[in-house]
Amino acid sequence: MAVGETQVESGSEPGTKEVETGWRATLRKIKRDTTARWGLYVITFVLAITAYTLIDGNLSRLTFGNVSDFAMAEALPIFEHPERLPPPGEADTNVPPAFHADGSMAHPLGTDPNGRDYFTRIVYGAQVSVSVGLAATFLGLVGGTIVGAVAGYYGGWVDDLLMRAVETVYAIPPLILIIVFTVFVSGGSPDVRFAIIGVGIAFIPVFARIIRSEVLSVREMDYIEAARAAGVKDRNIILRHVIPNSFAPVMVYATLQIGVTILIVAGLSFLGFGAQPPTPDWGEMLQTSHSYMHSNVWLSIWPGIAIMITIMGFNLFGDGLQDALDPRIND
Amino acid sequence: MGLLRYTTYRFLQAIPVLIGISILTFVLANLTPGDPVRLMLQGVEADQEMIEQVEARYGLDRPMHERYLDYMAGLVQGDMGHSFHRNQDVASLIASRIGPTLLLVLSAYAFALVTSIPLGIIAAKRRNEPFDHVSRIVALLGVSTPSFWIGIMLILIFAVQLGWLPSADLVYPWWSPEVYGHDGYLEHFVETIRHLVLPMIALGTLQMATLMRVERTQMIESLQGEYVKLARAYGVPERTILRKHAFQVAQLPIITIVGLNLSTALGGAVLIEFVFNINGLGRLFYEAIIQLDYQLIMGITMIIATMFVIGVIITDIAYAYIDPRVTYGEAE
């Protein structure tokens, strides 16, 4: 842990010029920080799996022609490829994991009640969970940055109006807001795309608040005044000077927020308002396995562990980044 | 400003937010492609005449802003509308379901506070020792694991495998023991606790982990404060320093976080009530969503957001009450 370093730093004022010049120093600190390094390992591992599933899917599509997503179909033989179904009575349904007495290495984590290989589904589940987590956080980050920067830079009634709106959105618990949004906007048939937008909107307030408070301090800097005096347009000042200089603390928060997003999307899919079957998604898999909780215990175990490891990676990295960038970001 | 005036001021401040919430939920509910009537009548063989009848019955043939004003007029009088699917008053439906949710959320908080504060303090005191490392790993796992999955695992271990604790529903302490066939109040109390333990832990773990992390950081910072150095220089015993000086200051951020995290806890209640089959507000919300019962959805969203707003106000007031440095509301 970089506790020793953070102490030394905490004497200097956070959010001043060092942040801008310190990108290389930051990278060095991240490399030295055990927490951040482990977080990075886990994230790389999960991203590598995601990349593999994407490439694998695309390669297969190239090879096998017009199959919508061959690799995914591999994991979902019954829904998309009825012809792949083993003859009745011979389906490998409910095979236990390999370490179980009745298990085999053909299905390391066993199969689900539809005979789909669980390991493949867990691996492909990374694709949905990670991409949804990243996309939704990015959406919230962009939205929040715009709202926060505009509110903080202009101040006055613009600030009041935007911040009241942000407070309103913030007052509705994210999960509730996202469910209401996805269900109503999709007209009663929710899916992942609506979930991403919903999560993005629900996270605008947190990012808007951080950006705004950063902008408020950056706004008073001499170089902003200089730019204004030189006749640079407001829009360009915000885009070129204000936002880049307010970004460091937001990046830390965004990293931690990816974990929260994945957590929420898992809950969303678990309730049936996120990814829909047969898409392999960890939350969706937990929902499906919920009805088999008593007979097939392992079905409920693996997706949860996958979610936990992924989120832990982002949290570890976020913690390390926090120590490296700014020790006092919490308050 | 006195504490009473500050309290009034904070509540008045909440009014625009509450109005904003009502607008937001109303707009969301009306964003639906097609119209609410078609959603309501999903699965019903409805002809044009029937649709028009339903529209007229619920005033849906009128423009949105008129309907919103109507809805607000009702809200002010405590009328939250009518649940189409259940043919019941939304307000009374919510009133009958709010108890279990409050019981669940408050006990989850109690669990989180009782565990996180001592653990956080010990971790801060024994910084970088094994205890600290273990507690930080536990906290990391706590913030990284979905609450509903913890719930499922707890059910599998303690209800299914070991058979120690029940896995579904709550026993309401406010009902009389006879309803459950309990032998007196002691058994009633024990059963209440036994039913509450698993959902409480499932919902409270995230809170516990978050608070533990904050408590640890705050205590470390607080123990490095000038006043602690001064107290040490005066020869004040370490225990007293920990208990009196460092502790009190470190609790202030905890109060704020408890308030803000209510949002996560209320959202989490939907999941936990689903997993544990608890007939609370979260479960009602889930059912309302499945049935697209939009008056009920709006009502529950309003109530949950209001609970959050009130929770934040209460913690703000508690903060102002405890921290002598706060001058009520004059900053900002």
Side-chain angles (χ1 to χ4, degrees), chain A residues 1 3-4 6-7 35 164 167-177 179-181 183-188 209 256 263 266-268 270-273 283 286-287 290 293-294 297 300-305 307-309 311-313 315-316 319 322-323 327-328 330-331, chain B residues 13 16-17 20-21 24-25 28-33 39 42 127-128 136 140-141 143-149 152-153 155-156 160-161 206 213 216-218 221 224 260 262-264 266-268 270-271 274-275 285-286 289-290 292 294 297-298 301 304-306 308-309:
Chain A
M1 274 305 302
V3 185
T6 53
Q7 267 175 36
T35 318
R164 287 300 91 77
E167 259 172 56
T168 302
V169 176
Y170 189 76
I172 304 178
L175 191 68
I176 307 265
L177 178 64
I179 292 177
V180 172
F181 177 86
V183 169
F184 279 134
V185 175
S186 67
R209 286 179 164 195
L256 292 170
L263 212 57
L268 210 58
F270 176 67
L271 290 175
F273 306 125
L286 281 172
Q287 192 216 15
H290 198 55
M293 204 170 101
H294 298 279
V297 176
S300 298
I301 296 179
W302 309 126
I305 292 177
I307 297 173
M308 192 171 75
I309 291 174
I311 297 176
M312 213 162 63
N315 281 337
L316 276 171
D319 285 350
Q322 194 163 33
D323 287 340
R328 313 188 117 244
N330 257 337
D331 42 49
Chain B
Q13 238 186 354
V17 175
I21 295 166
L24 185 65
T25 37
L28 276 178
N30 284 284
L31 270 181
T32 326
L39 281 184
Q42 236 175 27
R127 192 163 145 209
N128 293 334
R136 290 179 75 186
L140 179 69
L141 287 175
V143 294
S144 308
T145 316
S147 60
F148 64 90
W149 187 68
I152 295 173
M153 291 299 112
I155 290 178
L156 285 176
V160 178
Q161 285 292 318
L206 177 64
R213 282 153 71 107
R216 177 183 172 275
T217 327
Q218 289 303 322
E221 217 168 87
Q224 289 165 353
L260 293 180
L262 196 57
S263 164
T264 331
L266 288 168
V270 179
L271 291 160
F274 180 82
V275 170
F285 174 74
Y286 175 77
I289 287 277
I290 294 288
L292 292 164
Y294 88 116
I297 296 172
M298 275 163 60
T301 311
I304 289 184
T306 310
F308 172 66
V309 170

Side-chain angles (χ1 to χ4, degrees), chain A residues 49-82:
Chain A
I49 289 177
T50 312
Y52 165 74
T53 62
L54 288 170
I55 295 167
D56 189 36
N58 289 336
L59 283 184
S60 314
R61 191 176 302 147
L62 289 176
T63 326
F64 291 91
N66 200 22
V67 180
S68 63
D69 196 336
F70 179 78
M72 210 174 254
E74 184 87 308
L76 322 153
I78 288 183
F79 291 101
E80 305 199 355
H81 286 262

Side-chain angles (χ1 to χ4, degrees), chain A residues 71-78 92-98 104-125 280 285 298-299 302:
Chain A
M72 210 174 254
E74 184 87 308
L76 322 153
I78 288 183
D92 282 344
T93 54
N94 289 335
V95 176
S104 79
M105 273 317 283
H107 302 292
L109 298 183
T111 65
D112 70 2
N114 288 319
R116 299 173 288 189
D117 180 49
Y118 221 52
F119 179 72
T120 317
R121 277 180 69 79
I122 294 274
V123 166
Y124 276 81
M285 289 162 81
W298 55 86
L299 291 180
W302 309 126

Side-chain angles (χ1 to χ4, degrees), chain B residues 143-296:
Chain B
V143 294
S144 308
T145 316
S147 60
F148 64 90
W149 187 68
I150 298 180
I152 295 173
M153 291 299 112
L154 288 174
I155 290 178
L156 285 176
I157 298 169
F158 293 101
V160 178
Q161 285 292 318
L162 299 170
W164 291 351
L165 294 163
S167 66
D169 216 343
L170 290 182
V171 167
Y172 308 146
W174 53 87
W175 284 6
S176 83
E178 286 88 53
V179 178
Y180 297 97
H182 290 155
D183 217 13
Y185 281 95
L186 181 68
E187 195 195 338
H188 192 44
F189 178 73
V190 171
E191 281 302 311
T192 306
I193 300 291
R194 283 189 65 224
H195 280 78
L196 201 52
V197 169
L198 296 184
M200 171 186 88
I201 294 175
L203 186 61
T205 303
L206 177 64
Q207 310 296 336
M208 178 199 79
T210 322
L211 292 176
M212 203 160 105
R213 282 153 71 107
V214 179
E215 179 74 32
R216 177 183 172 275
T217 327
Q218 289 303 322
M219 277 305 278
I220 288 176
E221 217 168 87
S222 179
L223 282 169
Q224 289 165 353
E226 296 294 324
Y227 49 92
V228 170
K229 281 183 202 152
L230 187 70
R232 281 207 184 107
Y234 272 111
V236 178
E238 198 69 11
R239 273 181 82 85
T240 318
I241 291 179
L242 202 64
R243 282 198 179 164
K244 281 204 155 164
H245 305 277
F247 179 72
Q248 213 179 348
V249 176
Q251 296 329 299
L252 291 169
I254 294 277
I255 294 173
T256 311
I257 293 195
V258 162
L260 293 180
N261 272 6
L262 196 57
S263 164
T264 331
L266 288 168
V270 179
L271 291 160
I272 298 301
E273 286 177 13
F274 180 82
V275 170
F276 286 92
N277 241 323
I278 296 169
N279 273 322
L281 217 48
R283 178 104 202 161
L284 186 65
F285 174 74
Y286 175 77
E287 289 161 1
I289 287 277
I290 294 288
Q291 296 159 343
L292 292 164
D293 191 338
Y294 88 116
Q295 290 268 17
L296 187 54

